[in-house]
Amino acid sequence: MLLARALRSAAAALRPPPLPAPRRLLSAARPRAPLPPPLARPLWQLGGGGRAALLLRPRRGWAGGVSCGCGGLHTEGDKAFAQFLADEIQEEKKLQKHRALPAVSGGWELELRGTEARLARKVAGERITVTFNINNSIPPSVEDDAQEEQKPGEQEPDLTSTPNFVVEVIKDDTKQTLVLDCHYPEDEVGHEGEEESDIFTIREVSFQPTGESDWKDTNYTLNTDSLDWALYDHLMDFLADRGVDNTFADELIELSTALEHQEYIKFLEDLKSFVKCQ
C-alpha cells in the first residue's frame, strides 16, 4: 500500500508541469470595426482599357452642345457646318448661269414636279410629251492620268446634266401610246457642229395603253441594240418630225443643267436651315 503510493508520488514528480492557459487577445474581446471600403478604381483600369475605356472616351464631334427651344442639338461642329454651307451657297449662286429656267424652242410647255420635268406640245392631232428627272443626271467625273493638271487660276469644267428622257406620242384616234426611251451616250455629248451625228439615241420602244400610268411589262419592248439600221433611222426621223431632234436635245441639256443647279442650291439652303436653328 505504502509502496504503491510512493510509486504514484514519484511518477507525479516526473510529469512535466501543465502549460499555462493562453490569454485571450483584447482585440478578440471587442467587436472588430468594419474595414473601410476599397478605393473605387477608374473604369479605364478595369479590363486594361477595353470596352470601358470606350465608354469614357468622348464621341467624335461632341463639343458639349445644348438643346435650344427648337428641340434640336446644336454643337460647335454644327455651327462650323452651317457657316460652311452659307459660304457654299454664296459661291454656287455666283456660278449660277440662269436665274430663271431657260425655255425650249418649238412651243414646248414646261411642267415641274420636284425633280421631274415634263415638256409637252401638240402637233396636228398628236400630243407629244418628253419626261425626264434630274436625279443622277450628272455623269461621274473620271480622272484621266494622261490629262494635264489644272493650272492655277484655271476654272474647273462646268457640270452638265444629261438625263435619260422618255418621249410619248399619243394620237387622238388610238388607245395606244408609242413610248421611246432615249438617253445621251457619253461619247456623243458635247460634239457640237457635227450635223451627221445624233447626240442622243433611242434605247427602247414599246406601246403602252393610253391614260394608264403603270408600265406594263407584259407588252413587247423593242431593244435597239440589235435593230436594223434602216428601221432605227426611220424612228429617229419620226422623232425629228415631231420636234425631238439635236436642237431639242441640246436645249433639254441646258434646261436640265439649270434645273439641277437650282435644286442643288435649294438643297444646300434646306440643309443649312436643318443644321442651324432658325
Side-chain angles (χ1 to χ4, degrees):
M1 195 78 179
L2 292 175
L3 181 60
R5 186 174 182 179
L7 292 173
R8 286 196 299 268
S9 298
L14 295 175
R15 186 182 302 168
L19 295 175
R23 291 183 301 173
R24 192 174 184 182
L25 298 177
L26 294 178
S27 60
R30 73 179 78 174
R32 181 177 298 178
L35 295 176
L39 296 177
R41 297 179 64 185
L43 289 179
W44 60 270
Q45 292 183 354
L46 302 177
R51 185 176 180 182
L54 296 177
L55 294 176
L56 292 181
R57 187 179 304 161
R59 294 180 179 177
R60 183 178 184 272
W62 175 257
V66 296
S67 177
C68 67
C70 72
L73 182 66
H74 303 287
T75 67
E76 290 298 323
D78 294 343
K79 183 178 179 180
F81 191 13
Q83 183 58 49
F84 169 81
L85 290 171
D87 296 339
E88 190 74 7
I89 292 170
Q90 185 176 2
E91 290 299 322
E92 290 296 330
K93 287 184 176 180
K94 291 180 181 179
L95 298 175
Q96 195 172 13
K97 294 182 179 180
H98 301 280
R99 297 298 176 181
L101 295 178
V104 178
S105 61
W108 294 91
E109 297 181 359
L110 176 63
E111 178 184 355
L112 296 177
R113 188 175 60 181
T115 60
E116 184 180 272
R118 172 171 298 194
L119 295 165
R121 68 183 297 223
K122 291 183 178 181
V123 179
E126 293 184 357
R127 182 160 53 95
I128 301 97
T129 63
V130 178
T131 307
F132 64 92
N133 197 310
I134 62 170
N135 284 335
N136 303 317
S137 62
I138 297 181
S141 58
V142 179
E143 297 182 359
D144 189 1
D145 296 337
Q147 188 177 2
E148 297 181 359
E149 296 183 358
Q150 184 177 352
K151 299 179 181 179
E154 185 179 359
Q155 293 184 354
E156 296 182 358
D158 295 334
L159 297 179
T160 302
S161 172
T162 54
N164 300 334
F165 60 94
V166 177
V167 182
E168 299 181 15
V169 180
I170 306 171
K171 292 183 178 290
D172 293 340
D173 56 350
T174 62
K175 297 181 180 180
Q176 287 184 319
T177 299
L178 182 63
V179 181
L180 303 98
D181 185 6
C182 306
H183 76 121
Y184 293 93
E186 294 182 4
D187 56 347
E188 295 292 342
V189 176
H191 293 183
E192 297 180 359
E194 298 182 5
E195 297 181 357
E196 297 181 358
S197 177
D198 295 312
I199 65 173
F200 73 97
T201 61
I202 302 173
R203 185 158 47 189
E204 292 180 346
V205 185
S206 69
F207 280 106
Q208 295 295 325
T210 302
E212 295 188 13
S213 58
D214 294 336
W215 183 276
K216 291 187 177 298
D217 293 331
T218 55
N219 288 5
Y220 178 76
T221 299
L222 175 65
N223 192 301
T224 60
D225 289 341
S226 58
L227 190 64
D228 179 79
W229 278 107
L231 177 56
Y232 180 84
D233 288 341
H234 280 295
L235 287 172
M236 293 295 292
D237 292 340
F238 178 84
L239 288 180
D241 292 340
R242 285 152 181 81
V244 182
D245 51 11
N246 278 350
T247 300
F248 172 85
D250 278 330
E251 293 180 351
L252 189 146
I253 291 177
E254 185 178 3
L255 170 63
S256 181
T257 301
L259 178 59
E260 198 280 336
H261 198 185
Q262 175 180 289
E263 290 296 317
Y264 175 65
I265 294 176
K266 182 178 181 299
F267 172 80
L268 294 180
E269 293 173 341
D270 293 341
L271 183 58
K272 182 174 73 70
S273 300
F274 186 84
V275 173
K276 180 181 179 181
C277 181
Q278 299 292 340

